[in-house]
Amino acid sequence: MIKRLTAVVLCAAMITAALAGCSAGTDGAQSPSASQPGTSESVSGPPISGEGTTSASPPPSGLSTVEAFLYDEPDGSAVGQYLLDNAASLAPSDAELLLERLILLQQDIAAELNTRVWETDYLTALNETMGGVLDPDKIDNIPDVLVRADFREASDAVMTIVRYEETPVFETDWARVATLGNVFSEPVLALIEYQSRLQGVYYRGNPIKFDLLAADIAAVETLLAEADGFARWQLRQLWAHQTSVLFYGAEGEHLDFIMNGDSVFVSLLQGFADEYAGTRFADICAQLVAYSGDDFTELSLLIESGLVFPPDSTYRAQFTHTIEDDMEYALVEISGGDDPAVTQSINDAINDATQALMQIDDGETYIRVRNYVSVCGQYLSIDIYYSGLRFFHETMLVLDLKTGQPVTLDDLTGKPLDEYKEALLGVVPQYAGQYPLYESDLVDPLEFTLSNDSLTIMLHYPDRPEYYTVTINGLREIMDVRTLY
């Protein structure tokens, strides 16, 4: 059951959901000021789609200066430095093209370095040479040339290292992005401000400053109601992260507060349910206040249910946790939506896939069945586990929330596998201890799931499944990734 490191790290820290345009206002003084348009050539859209994005010829005419720069597929360091050096002279649209591409490129850097940082030379450089933080001024003191180059790449790509408990994770350095000032549109300025607060010390305290965090969660939910594109993609992840911090706490301590009926924390949740009535955040707070059980898994699933869909979605997810004799279930049911027939199709597909997996008989008596669900753009991904003491089976399914129908990778790319197989193979990173991936392994229909930052392909080998993850940035080689926002 090998999974992406970043996802494991964040789940272990209990600060993200087991998950992943804008309105003009947040609440009162907390709203970052609107930026003013700068001067730049008109923008017809960035080269995001990646139908073979690497440029081998001069860029087509009609591109802005920034679009022409991005057309040549610069790396994360080059994009980061271009943004830092030129932000003051850019129009918001151009600045946001650069920030969007930078965040996409950072996914690849993080995917590699979040694993590599555990190696002795990297830990020594981080903890001893740089004092436990990614300090640009001390990177040149790192003796190992390759280690030094990796930390320099991350720094130049405007990244930092955030500690979740004791786990170092490479992320966007939102504080550095914030120093660029009002060069972005208002929704992106708001995104940057709220991300900086979450990453920094704004809520820090013992306990954390719940009132400030709750106000910002509600503000981001308001922004999401009219968001689209890049801003929505990022605000959606921000909202899930904010709410997870408040509901879970470090190592799940806030779940303990709820389970133990801690009067102070429960009163805070009740206050938030009243103050922010009408928001999805308030709904979850009210459900947690009303919870009177003693099942830790059930309580965690209650929160997970509330975080599957964006807060402005008409869909809702509801997990149920059931133990019957030697069978334990954690299954999801989808409700709401704009068309009851579509919602029914979604539930039928989930149930059919779950039941089909459970037909495998390994002679076990203690069985666990678990649905893991995430939403990426208009797509619902379901990862179904069926396991016992001596066996493990898994299947993956992606459904279109607009139609209720299963989605293949061919559907996402708009072409048959043979036309993009080679490109896909080229962007799948392979690691030590992993089965090598060959072109012959990629056979329709591929099983996969989507998240806010990656696509994971699962292949079934005789003794175990194997997972191959492609970042959203890597997918630019084969599709228009903006359809996943």
Side-chain angles (χ1 to χ4, degrees):
M1 293 184 286
I2 303 167
K3 289 296 180 184
R4 296 177 301 281
L5 173 68
T6 302
V8 172
V9 165
L10 298 183
C11 286
M14 300 301 281
I15 60 141
T16 61
L19 325 151
C22 204
S23 66
T26 54
D27 292 335
Q30 301 216 18
S31 173
S33 60
S35 60
Q36 298 300 318
T39 58
S40 177
E41 296 92 335
S42 64
V43 176
S44 58
I48 290 291
S49 61
E51 289 273 340
T53 51
T54 301
S55 172
S57 60
S61 60
L63 298 183
S64 72
T65 302
V66 167
E67 288 177 314
F69 168 72
L70 293 177
Y71 183 85
D72 286 328
E73 290 294 319
D75 63 16
S77 297
V79 174
Q81 293 311 295
Y82 189 99
L83 176 61
L84 295 175
D85 293 342
N86 299 282
S89 62
L90 297 174
S93 54
D94 276 345
E96 286 163 26
L97 289 186
L98 289 165
L99 182 60
E100 177 181 7
R101 180 64 66 84
L102 180 62
I103 288 174
L104 287 166
L105 291 166
Q106 287 172 347
Q107 293 177 345
D108 292 334
I109 297 172
E112 184 171 353
L113 294 188
N114 282 339
T115 299
R116 195 174 293 175
V117 74
W118 292 102
E119 297 175 11
T120 300
D121 290 344
Y122 286 81
L123 284 176
T124 299
L126 174 61
N127 294 326
E128 297 181 14
T129 306
M130 294 190 293
V133 298
L134 181 53
D135 186 341
D137 295 331
K138 296 180 180 179
I139 291 175
D140 287 343
N141 297 332
I142 298 172
D144 188 292
V145 174
L146 296 178
V147 174
R148 183 167 68 243
D150 280 342
F151 279 112
R152 177 59 66 191
E153 178 189 22
S155 178
D156 288 348
V158 198
M159 300 183 75
T160 188
I161 292 177
V162 178
R163 302 263 184 173
Y164 295 106
E165 306 311 324
E166 296 302 318
T167 302
V169 177
F170 286 82
E171 295 182 355
T172 304
D173 189 341
W174 291 105
R176 286 176 70 191
V177 177
T179 64
L180 300 178
N182 295 342
V183 300
F184 302 98
S185 65
E186 185 169 350
V188 176
L189 281 172
L191 165 70
I192 294 166
E193 174 65 17
Y194 294 126
Q195 285 280 24
S196 298
R197 293 177 181 182
L198 194 59
Q199 198 176 70
V201 298
Y202 185 77
Y203 310 113
R204 188 171 298 174
N206 189 18
I208 65 172
K209 299 173 183 176
F210 292 109
D211 290 343
L212 295 179
L213 179 55
D216 286 357
I217 291 171
V220 170
E221 185 166 334
T222 299
L223 287 166
L224 263 170
E226 297 183 19
D228 59 21
F230 165 67
R232 178 176 179 80
W233 177 51
Q234 289 295 302
L235 285 167
R236 164 71 177 103
Q237 296 175 65
L238 170 61
W239 183 84
H241 191 172
Q242 290 173 314
T243 49
S244 295
V245 169
L246 194 149
F247 292 139
Y248 288 112
E251 298 183 335
E253 65 177 348
H254 297 170
L255 295 182
D256 289 333
F257 293 163
I258 298 168
M259 291 280 290
N260 297 329
D262 182 277
S263 59
V264 174
F265 189 70
V266 172
S267 294
L268 280 171
L269 294 178
Q270 183 61 64
F272 298 150
D274 295 338
E275 183 173 0
Y276 303 109
T279 66
R280 184 62 182 145
F281 168 59
D283 292 344
I284 301 173
C285 288
Q287 292 175 44
L288 293 176
V289 170
Y291 182 77
S292 59
D294 58 0
D295 185 334
F296 190 89
T297 299
E298 182 180 60
L299 179 59
S300 182
L301 288 172
L302 189 158
I303 297 173
E304 187 176 334
S305 297
L307 302 184
V308 167
F309 289 100
D312 59 325
S313 174
T314 57
Y315 282 107
R316 292 290 180 264
Q318 181 63 56
F319 283 92
T320 57
H321 183 231
T322 307
I323 299 177
E324 299 176 354
D325 298 325
D326 291 328
M327 298 285 288
E328 180 177 358
Y329 304 90
L331 304 178
V332 71
E333 181 175 5
I334 307 302
S335 61
D338 299 323
D339 185 339
V342 170
T343 305
Q344 186 61 51
S345 293
I346 292 171
N347 283 316
D348 288 346
I350 297 173
N351 291 335
D352 289 349
T354 302
Q355 292 301 318
L357 197 66
M358 291 173 61
Q359 297 309 305
I360 302 172
D361 185 4
D362 285 275
E364 292 268 359
T365 55
Y366 181 66
I367 306 295
R368 293 184 179 184
V369 185
R370 177 72 158 92
N371 294 160
Y372 291 92
V373 185
S374 62
V375 172
C376 184
Q378 72 183 59
Y379 303 109
L380 179 73
S381 293
I382 305 96
D383 198 346
I384 305 170
Y385 288 5
Y386 175 56
S387 62
L389 295 176
R390 294 181 298 275
F391 77 92
F392 173 79
H393 301 291
E394 181 180 6
T395 191
M396 293 176 169
L397 179 67
V398 177
L399 301 169
D400 189 326
L401 290 167
K402 292 183 178 181
T403 66
Q405 297 304 304
V407 175
T408 67
L409 197 49
D410 289 1
D411 294 329
L412 288 182
T413 62
K415 47 197 170 187
L417 178 60
D418 284 345
E419 291 187 15
Y420 63 85
K421 181 184 294 187
E422 184 177 350
L424 178 61
L425 191 66
V427 294
V428 174
Q430 299 189 50
Y431 302 101
Q434 186 179 49
Y435 281 131
L437 180 64
Y438 301 102
E439 190 170 337
S440 59
D441 294 323
L442 301 177
V443 179
D444 271 329
L446 289 172
E447 287 189 71
F448 70 98
T449 55
L450 293 163
S451 71
N452 283 311
D453 60 5
S454 61
L455 176 148
T456 297
I457 297 168
M458 180 178 66
L459 299 182
H460 295 277
Y461 290 96
D463 59 338
R464 59 170 175 169
E466 190 74 33
Y467 308 89
Y468 302 89
T469 299
V470 187
T471 65
I472 298 297
N473 184 61
L475 291 178
R476 290 195 302 116
E477 288 290 331
I478 61 174
M479 64 177 292
D480 181 355
V481 298
R482 285 188 164 184
T483 62
L484 303 179
Y485 291 178

